[in-house]
Amino acid sequence: MTFLNPEPVSLRQWGVYRKVAGAVASGAYGELCSLRWSWLSPGGDAALLYSGVLAHLLEASRELAGGRLERLHLEPAETVPACFALAAFEGGVVAEVEIHEALPPSAPAVRFLLADFTGGRVTNRPLVGHHHGEGAFLATGEGAEALLFEPMPAVKRPLEDGEIQRMIAAALGGGRGA
Amino acid sequence: MKPMKLVIAGAANPHVPGYLRSMGRMRGEVELLAVSDVDAGRRERGLALLKEQGLEVPGYDDFRTMLDRHADAEAILVGSDNAHHLEMYREAFARRLHIYGMKVVTMCPEEGAELAERQAGSGRVFQVELELRYQRQFQKARELVRSGRLGGIRAVSLSNVSQSPIGYFPNWGVPELSYGRRVPLTPGAARFRGGALTDHPHPFDLIRWMTGLEFAEVTAFASRNQRSYLEVEDHLVVTGRLTDGTPVLINPSYSNLEERATTRRLYWPKSLECNLKLFGESGCYYADYFDHPVLVMGEGHASPNRLIVEGTPPARPAESMLQRFARQVRGEARREEDAALADGLAAVKVMNAAYESLYHGKTVKL
């Protein structure tokens, strides 16, 4: 993805966060129940995994939850800068965090937030697939590919249907074809 | 192949209507003899689905009467409330029937142990409905893990977020029926085990199946319920570690909201988010349950006049789980994707550990 305005913004400036914060403030969708964060980066800064990325996500979550962080559980990955985190906030909101700061260069960066409310949801997570596309996605050091398990339709012979063929021939003969 | 003679005991499970709808297509391999359910409404709705396909079979309110009347049955699909599974399994073993068990087999470890004992040496097939194994995108994930193409797997994230079926299957929200007994989610809580976690053994199974590893420990957090009227949990998330130390994240919530109605009417335009992420040392793989979806909208849709994402039937249909079961009954060897009783019980063990984690507010080792 090419960002036309490449200067990054803080979480608080980010439009998706602001949309969720607006929903929390207005109560338009009821009470906030949970937050699901996906922060996946090719070539991120491993040194900032916990003290930077995770800390900022927890701080943003605390702001949205409107209560202090009561409990935090971390599941760090081995040999790669990645972790999962669960955070419980005063008032009953739970945040789920997945962070990976060293995806293959061919994998796009992801910043997704899903906020579930008692009466609705606000999110920029794709409805279909992981990058708004059908099928699966595989990225390695050799490159990335989209994998669709269903075949595409193809045509390998002329259709044996006189009526349709006559109509096509007539239309072509009428000057609408090549 | 000579069709397998099947009876269906119970239509309490929200997946049973799907099986009934497919009976016409499976005529050559499955001969349905009868359906029982203690609830006349569920039973009649099930029989009506069969009639639409030109299949007329008798219905019974008592499953033992059904088995007595159809002594030629070879197999039983147990689709009752989870709490009634054991008595049906016992009867099935006594009558030497092959068993197709709907999720969950049982949430009670003692019952699970009894079933394992009865199954051992019975010579009967006991297949458990753990459906994610049959999706090609997840089979590809298993292949990638086993081949080492992603390098060592360093983290696994899997969501299985659905709507709640409790509006149209109210029994699914009764703790005694779904979990088997009333156990508070946390000490003194007015919410009880038996909701979204009990309904979703398949993500736990998929991770075991893909990796070939067991869960070593789990930690679960539950937020406030989205649906305050439910007695059971609808919103939780689980992390854990596999036996090789790989961290996992599983969200099995009912957080895709739906109308509070007696039929399934989605608000969130997708019934199920089932997304897998495998993070390896040298690559990553993401898969969506809806491989090749379409967008539909219309007044006549079950969720009328709103945009809905639906899956599509495969161009070249693979064998269904029930067909796989029928072929095993006819002597075909069990394949790697065919989930056995032990798989179902292994998933339940992890789920119960997650419940214990919620109750005690700490990590639980398996």
Side-chain angles (χ1 to χ4, degrees), chain A residues 32-34 36 71 73 75-76 78-79 91-92 96 98 116-117 121 127 129-130 134-137 139 149-150, chain B residues 136 154 157 219 223-224 226 235 241 251 255-256 268 270 273 277 281 283-284 286-288 291-292 315 361:
Chain A
L32 181 65
C33 294
S34 69
R36 294 172 60 195
R71 192 174 159 217
H73 179 79
E75 295 284 3
E78 291 175 12
T79 72
E96 151 198 331
E98 57 179 14
D116 274 322
F117 296 80
R121 168 178 283 176
L127 256 185
H130 292 264
E134 59 184 354
F137 175 79
F149 293 86
E150 277 299 295
Chain B
R136 286 170 298 171
R154 291 294 169 256
S157 169
T219 308
S223 73
R224 63 163 67 101
Q226 278 183 298
H235 218 95
R241 284 194 174 266
N251 191 317
S255 50
N256 287 352
W268 185 250
K270 194 172 177 182
E273 172 205 303
K277 298 189 196 82
E281 277 188 315
C284 59
Y286 308 155
D288 182 340
D291 174 57
H292 185 48

Side-chain angles (χ1 to χ4, degrees), chain B residues 184-229:
Chain B
L185 213 54
T186 54
R191 272 189 304 165
F192 301 90
R193 297 181 185 182
L197 179 56
T198 297
D199 196 14
H200 292 144
H202 35 280
F204 300 93
D205 172 70
L206 183 69
I207 289 176
R208 291 182 63 250
W209 183 69
M210 278 187 315
T211 63
L213 300 168
E214 297 295 338
F215 281 74
E217 61 180 45
V218 290
T219 308
F221 281 38
S223 73
R224 63 163 67 101
N225 261 16
Q226 278 183 298
R227 302 161 187 81
S228 57
Y229 54 89

Side-chain angles (χ1 to χ4, degrees), chain B residues 124-192:
Chain B
R124 289 292 174 266
V125 178
F126 195 136
Q127 183 165 329
V128 177
E129 183 203 40
L130 290 165
E131 60 265 43
L132 297 182
R133 296 171 174 221
Y134 293 82
Q135 299 292 320
R136 286 170 298 171
Q137 56 274 47
F138 300 135
Q139 292 173 351
K140 177 72 176 178
R142 186 177 192 267
E143 176 195 318
L144 289 166
V145 171
R146 303 292 173 106
S147 70
R149 180 148 181 222
L150 300 177
I153 299 301
R154 291 294 169 256
V156 181
S157 169
L158 178 59
S159 60
N160 193 107
V161 168
S162 69
Q163 84 289 342
S164 160
I166 295 170
Y168 46 99
F169 276 83
N171 51 306
W172 225 235
V174 178
E176 289 85 351
L177 294 177
S178 57
Y179 189 74
R181 59 199 171 102
R182 187 167 284 254
V183 183
L185 213 54
T186 54
R191 272 189 304 165
F192 301 90

Side-chain angles (χ1 to χ4, degrees), chain A residues 100-176:
Chain A
H100 198 306
E101 286 290 89
L103 291 180
S106 56
V110 159
R111 305 285 186 266
F112 291 144
L113 169 59
L114 185 145
D116 274 322
F117 296 80
T118 51
R121 168 178 283 176
V122 179
T123 187
N124 67 326
R125 270 181 185 262
L127 256 185
V128 170
H130 292 264
H131 300 299
H132 290 289
E134 59 184 354
F137 175 79
L138 173 65
T140 65
E142 295 152 16
E145 53 184 323
L147 306 173
L148 188 62
F149 293 86
E150 277 299 295
M152 287 181 76
V155 171
K156 295 184 175 173
R157 61 177 183 276
L159 180 72
E160 292 176 13
D161 183 307
E163 182 185 4
I164 288 178
Q165 295 293 8
R166 277 195 301 279
M167 294 290 282
I168 291 172
L172 287 170
R176 296 197 177 266

Side-chain angles (χ1 to χ4, degrees), chain A residues 63-97:
Chain A
E63 187 68 20
L64 294 171
R68 67 187 179 83
L69 175 59
E70 289 185 326
R71 192 174 159 217
L72 176 65
H73 179 79
L74 290 183
E75 295 284 3
E78 291 175 12
T79 72
V80 293
C83 74
F84 299 131
L86 304 182
F89 296 90
E90 185 181 26
V93 174
V94 164
E96 151 198 331
V97 179

